[in-house]
Amino acid sequence: MAIRIEEVHSDKQRYLPLLKLADPDVHMINSYLEISTLFKICSEDELIGVAVILIDDKVAEIKNIGLEEQWQGKGIGSQALEKLIDYCVDQDCQVMMVGTANSSIDNFAFYQKNGFRFVQIIPNFFRQYQNPIYENGIRALDMLVLEREI
């Protein structure tokens, strides 16, 4: 299945339901949304997900990437990631990084399968969230940072 990504220039708040798929804390989303580039992920004419990238110097950070549940596990996330990498290469980025929770076992595996390497732990990052997050029976406390040269 072919997908495309399109940059969103206005009304970013409209995409909040999809953004919350990857980050349930609206306050945190709002802290990076306006200073980042938002992309919608589409299959034909259907909106199926979103991604947010923050570029600083030659480093592109994935702040948020979320697909509707029925589109997960079909290789679409990997396709979207490659299109985002192409965009970042065009912006002269040399490294892509992403942070995920210690409890996000599937995300950690996804990024490693897509060429990212584990580089850092940020202890207690998720304690600042208003509500605790639990995944796979594990409380999200620490951020695991992964990077990929692009």
Side-chain angles (χ1 to χ4, degrees), residues 49-61:
V50 291
V52 179
I53 303 288
L54 177 63
I55 296 175
D56 183 18
D57 195 20
K58 304 238 180 235
V59 177
E61 181 180 0

Side-chain angles (χ1 to χ4, degrees), residues 41-110:
I41 303 168
C42 301
S43 172
E44 297 180 11
D45 289 332
E46 185 177 358
L47 175 65
I48 62 172
V50 291
V52 179
I53 303 288
L54 177 63
I55 296 175
D56 183 18
D57 195 20
K58 304 238 180 235
V59 177
E61 181 180 0
I62 300 171
K63 300 298 281 185
N64 187 312
I65 185 166
L67 288 175
E68 293 276 8
E69 190 173 342
Q70 67 266 29
W71 298 100
Q72 295 175 13
K74 299 179 182 336
I76 293 170
S78 295
Q79 283 184 56
L81 186 57
E82 288 306 315
K83 291 179 183 299
L84 292 167
I85 288 170
D86 291 344
Y87 171 86
C88 293
V89 167
D90 289 346
Q91 303 301 310
D92 266 348
C93 295
Q94 296 176 351
V95 173
M96 181 169 270
M97 65 181 291
V98 64
T100 192
N102 61 286
S103 58
S104 299
I105 296 166
D106 291 339
N107 290 349
F108 192 65
F110 168 79

